[in-house]
Amino acid sequence: QVQLMESGGGSVQAGGSLRLSCERSGYTQNNCMGWFRQAPGKEREGVAVIAIGDSTTYYADSVKGRFTISQDNAKITVLLQMNSLEPEDTAMYYCAAGWCPMQEVGLVRTWGQGTQVTVSS
């Protein structure tokens, strides 16, 4: 059974940077990994996704040009580099594994426990 362990997150001022890491353990047939986020009172939304096989990436329009998703050579750890952070990026961020393109929660099969990102103005 696949498990996802997140690290990173925290508090930063607007314009700052943070990096999230997600390490996958256990066997999975899922072909995509990525990050979703959920702010209080809002639905969970896709942020960035990467295909495990060929590293094709997808980004939500709100983070394009600011966030970068990548994976290590072993394709076990997925990183989310977040630059030029804005208060609107404040949310709980969840690592996810599922079926590509995994741009919606319905295609997610495994969730991480979540890590909080808070951006102050």
Side-chain angles (χ1 to χ4, degrees), residues 19-83:
R19 188 174 74 170
L20 305 181
S21 178
C22 176
E23 182 176 343
R24 175 172 53 87
S25 61
Y27 174 75
T28 180
Q29 292 182 317
N30 295 149
N31 55 3
C32 257
M33 287 188 66
W35 295 89
F36 285 68
R37 67 186 181 187
Q38 188 167 20
K42 294 188 177 181
E43 294 186 352
R44 193 169 296 189
E45 61 175 0
V47 174
V49 173
I50 187 166
I52 296 173
D54 63 7
S55 297
T56 300
T57 57
Y58 157 81
Y59 296 95
D61 288 341
S62 59
V63 305
K64 282 181 181 177
R66 301 188 297 122
F67 291 11
T68 302
I69 190 170
S70 61
Q71 61 182 343
D72 65 351
N73 290 336
K75 300 181 177 180
I76 293 176
T77 300
V78 173
L79 301 175
L80 184 66
Q81 179 67 41
M82 305 183 293
N83 298 327

